[in-house]
Amino acid sequence: MPTAIVLPAGATRTPLPLNIVGETTHVLVDARDSQATMACFHLVAPPMSGPPLHVHTREDEWFYVLEGELVFELDGVAHTVAAGGSVFLPRGVVHRYQNYTPRDARLLIVTTPGHFARFFEALDRITPPGGLPPMAQLVALDAEYGLTTMGPPMGPGDQP
């Protein structure tokens, strides 16, 4: 039987916050909490941070921008999303996002089903501080979790 969880500000369901492509990530809900139905993450995206171009085959994702502004590229089309805006991505949508502003952005990500938290934990173990893991390790991890990395993160030339 699942139990309710209450987390104080700044807490995470992992021993420490995770480093996901240079973004500090707190796991707020993981598969164990939700009978694997969903996972929820709070990320702090520093300037010029964001994931590489990728696609999920197993998860739908919902993003909610809490603070700042992010540029999302969805199937090749750029969308600027400011605080209070959200993006829903059914599995199969090729995507990435980038913080082009000089300030940190904060966002929530919810994935369904919830096993994606395990991908983030594994990614944290192979990611150097503030960077991306070696491509060979990322490709192997992707294969295990049903993702495909298709290109680099957005760069200055990709800004709309």
Side-chain angles (χ1 to χ4, degrees), residues 52-57 94-95 119 138-139 141-143 145-151:
L53 186 66
H54 66 283
V55 64
H56 299 252
T57 62
V94 178
H95 64 283
F119 173 79
L138 181 58
V139 168
L141 189 63
D142 282 353
Y145 288 92
L147 282 86
T148 302
T149 296
M150 305 174 79

Side-chain angles (χ1 to χ4, degrees), residues 18 27 30-32 36 39 41 114-125 141 144-145:
L18 304 175
V27 178
D30 69 16
R32 294 174 300 251
F41 312 95
H115 295 295
F116 194 66
R118 287 188 278 181
F119 173 79
F120 271 1
E121 290 172 19
L123 183 60
D124 172 75
R125 289 191 291 275
L141 189 63
E144 184 178 344
Y145 288 92

Side-chain angles (χ1 to χ4, degrees), residues 84-116:
S86 70
V87 174
F88 174 72
L89 300 175
R91 61 198 80 184
V93 175
V94 178
H95 64 283
R96 59 187 171 175
Y97 65 83
Q98 190 75 24
N99 178 3
Y100 285 109
T101 74
R103 297 182 34 201
D104 288 350
R106 298 181 188 282
L107 65 151
L108 292 176
I109 300 175
V110 174
T111 62
T112 61
H115 295 295
F116 194 66

Side-chain angles (χ1 to χ4, degrees), residues 11-12 26 32 34 52 60-61 63 68 72 77 82 87 91 93 99 102 106 111 117 126 132 135 144:
T12 182
H26 290 80
R32 294 174 300 251
S34 68
D60 300 326
E61 285 184 288
F63 298 81
F72 285 82
V77 178
V87 174
R91 61 198 80 184
V93 175
N99 178 3
R106 298 181 188 282
T111 62
I126 65 170
L132 293 171
M135 189 54 69
E144 184 178 344

